[in-house]
């Protein structure tokens, strides 16, 4: 009886977990946006399809990526950068739809960062086996704004460390609709994603989609 009660309570609404100072996990926060969010993402991916970028070290990333917004994050053998033009199409990236802006701003506000107005949304696609090695998000010019990260589809294990690459990491399971926000003292914390486990998600199938919203330019 007790365990039933706990399961029910856990299922009915959003909850919050603190990962570090300035870093919070908002469980299920994106669920109310889902009906508008998923068609908006499908439209973006039609115009700017997922691609596997090559790192400056010459490795093909296992995660496939695309972007929307004024600028998009790209990597090629010459380095990492934000670019207003999609190098595949030669066209500007698709605009960031209002539903994405709203979700990002609301999640940031909920985490204590008001007036978050990101110019970039990096869209990552993981299939089983894909992973993202520990890294810092430091190609932006503005570290005053947080990173807002939205998880959709299959669950993944998110690794969240500290300011140094070899700081111990904690593992968090990110499920469909969960939003992680890190800023302030943890804005430059190392983070990554463990290899995605096999699975099938009811809405999105055999994949995980992650959106990271970034304020790239100086405010
Ligand atoms: C990222 O670090 O850019 C993505 C994190 C994630 O996929 O959860
Ligand atoms: Fe990142």
């Amino acid at each position: 009886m007790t365990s039933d009660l706990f399961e029910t309570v856990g299922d009915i609404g959003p909850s919050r977990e603190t990962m570090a100072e300035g870093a919070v996990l908002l469980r299920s926060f994106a669920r109310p946006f889902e009906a508008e969010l998923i068609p908006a993402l499908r439209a973006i991916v039609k115009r700017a399809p997922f691609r596997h970028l090559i790192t400056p070290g010459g490795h093909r990333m296992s995660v496939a990526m695309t972007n929307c917004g004024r600028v998009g994050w790209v990597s090629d053998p010459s380095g990492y950068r934000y670019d207003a033009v999609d190098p595949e199409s030669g066209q500007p990236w698709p605009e960031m739809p209002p539903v994405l802006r709203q979700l990002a701003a609301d999640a940031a506000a909920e985490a204590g960062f008001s007036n978050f107005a990101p110019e970039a949304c990096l869209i990552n696609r993981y299939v089983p086996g894909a992973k993202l090695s520990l890294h810092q998000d430091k190609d932006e010019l503005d570290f005053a704004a947080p990173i807002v990260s939205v998880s959709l589809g299959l669950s993944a294990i998110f690794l969240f460390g500290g300011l140094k690459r070899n700081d111990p990491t904690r593992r968090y399971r990110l499920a469909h609709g969960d939003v992680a926000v890190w800023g302030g003292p943890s804005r430059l914390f190392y983070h990554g994603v463990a290899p995605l486990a096999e699975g099938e998600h009811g809405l999105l199938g055999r994949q995980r989609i992650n959106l990271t919203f970034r304020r790239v330019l100086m405010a």
Side-chain angles (χ1 to χ4, degrees), residues 11-116:
D11 280 348
I12 55 174
S15 67
R16 153 198 297 264
E17 266 171 60
T18 300
M19 298 193 290
E21 203 189 334
V24 65
L25 210 52
L26 307 169
R27 298 280 181 201
S28 300
F29 192 87
R31 295 300 300 265
F33 295 82
E34 184 179 294
E36 257 189 274
L37 183 60
I38 291 173
L41 292 173
R42 291 197 201 284
I44 291 166
V45 167
K46 248 191 195 151
R47 285 184 46 206
F50 286 113
R51 75 288 308 263
H52 292 271
L53 299 175
I54 307 295
T55 66
H59 298 288
R60 176 184 187 268
M61 296 182 73
S62 60
V63 176
M65 298 180 170
T66 187
N67 293 275
C68 67
R70 269 173 60 197
V71 289
W73 185 86
V74 289
S75 168
D76 64 25
S78 71
Y80 304 121
R81 66 181 187 280
Y82 282 95
D83 204 315
V85 168
D86 173 355
E88 286 292 318
S89 65
Q91 299 295 314
W93 296 101
E95 274 177 28
M96 196 184 297
V99 59
L100 270 75
R101 282 184 194 288
Q102 192 67 50
L103 166 57
D106 288 2
E110 183 68 26
F113 301 94
S114 52
N115 302 117
F116 180 53

Side-chain angles (χ1 to χ4, degrees), residues 14 21 26 47 72 81 91 111 115 118 121 132 137 139 141 150-152 158 161 173 181:
E21 203 189 334
L26 307 169
R47 285 184 46 206
R81 66 181 187 280
Q91 299 295 314
N115 302 117
C121 174
L132 199 57
D137 292 352
D139 299 323
L141 296 174
V150 175
S151 292
L152 299 168
F158 182 60
R173 183 169 177 275
V181 180

Side-chain angles (χ1 to χ4, degrees), residues 3 13 29 47 53 59 73 157 159 164 170 176-178 189 200:
S3 73
F29 192 87
R47 285 184 46 206
L53 299 175
H59 298 288
W73 185 86
I157 301 296
L159 311 168
K164 295 195 296 290
R170 280 173 183 254
H176 178 75
D178 291 349
F189 276 19
E200 186 76 25

Side-chain angles (χ1 to χ4, degrees), residues 132 135 137 182 191 214:
L132 199 57
H135 66 278
D137 292 352
W182 60 96
H191 58 279
R214 298 119 185 269

